[in-house]
Amino acid sequence: SSFGLRYRTFYKDLIATGDYSTDPRDANLFVDTAVKGRGFGLWFDFYYFGTGTPSGFAFRLASGLDIDQSTVTLDATRGDDNGGAAVTLASAKSTITVASLRLATLGLDLGFGPVGVRTGLTLLVPLAEFGKKFSATTAYTSETDSPALQAELQEALGHKKSTFGLEGNLAIYIVF
């Protein structure tokens, strides 16, 4: 058996810049969009098949449980090439926790006594999502609470449970 914790970041800063308007009078205006994310989780695997030795080359097959919580934020800001004030057009934050079944964890171990290197590939099948939260604000205050605007931003962000996942890992381990 094995267990672990993980932390990851998604796109330290993913920024897209585009024209704000096609109107020539607004040619100096542009929009910067930044999306950031982070996640942490824990997993537990039970090894039910293995060959080799801990102090050499070994092949392992496992299944288990994975719980992952992630947060994604979006900020869209209108800027002005002529030095005008920047305006935040939209901000959104989405948080979701997903419990998944870890199927067919295929792993290769290369051990050197009590220390080793492990590489593996895991198929994840999401079972349930819980703790889902979404909030958004826009510069258009009359539309901030609009369910249609909230739904549009949430769909554009695309932060939701998928039908399956594939995880690759590379780890250094200590046997004690």
Side-chain angles (χ1 to χ4, degrees):
S1 295
S2 67
F3 66 92
L5 301 171
R6 73 173 157 270
Y7 175 81
R8 57 184 182 248
T9 58
F10 310 99
Y11 312 116
K12 185 173 180 185
D13 278 316
L14 173 64
I15 298 179
T17 301
D19 292 333
Y20 178 70
S21 173
T22 56
D23 188 333
R25 295 172 293 185
D26 294 331
N28 59 313
L29 299 178
F30 61 92
V31 176
D32 281 340
T33 305
V35 179
K36 298 178 184 178
R38 69 180 189 286
F40 63 91
L42 57 97
W43 51 267
F44 173 80
D45 278 340
F46 175 74
Y47 291 94
Y48 49 86
F49 177 77
T51 63
T53 63
S55 60
F57 181 78
F59 170 78
R60 306 203 185 282
L61 187 60
S63 292
L65 183 65
D66 186 287
I67 298 176
D68 191 69
Q69 190 271 333
S70 60
T71 301
V72 177
T73 58
L74 166 98
D75 291 304
T77 306
R78 185 186 71 203
D80 187 341
D81 287 330
N82 294 335
V87 175
T88 299
L89 298 176
S91 292
K93 182 177 181 180
S94 176
T95 302
I96 188 172
T97 302
V98 177
S100 301
L101 186 60
R102 295 171 62 87
L103 295 176
T105 298
L106 300 172
L108 294 174
D109 294 355
L110 184 56
F112 305 99
V115 178
V117 176
R118 172 176 291 154
T119 184
L121 193 61
T122 303
L123 175 65
L124 296 143
V125 178
L127 300 174
E129 67 179 36
F130 47 93
K132 188 171 186 172
K133 297 178 198 170
F134 180 80
S135 63
T137 58
T138 69
Y140 312 105
T141 55
S142 63
E143 298 179 19
T144 299
D145 296 326
S146 162
L149 180 61
Q150 295 275 338
E152 186 177 332
L153 274 171
Q154 191 171 11
E155 181 66 28
L157 201 52
H159 190 218
K160 58 187 174 185
K161 177 183 81 160
S162 64
T163 53
F164 73 93
L166 194 58
E167 175 183 85
N169 63 58
L170 178 64
I172 297 173
Y173 66 88
I174 300 172
V175 177
F176 54 93

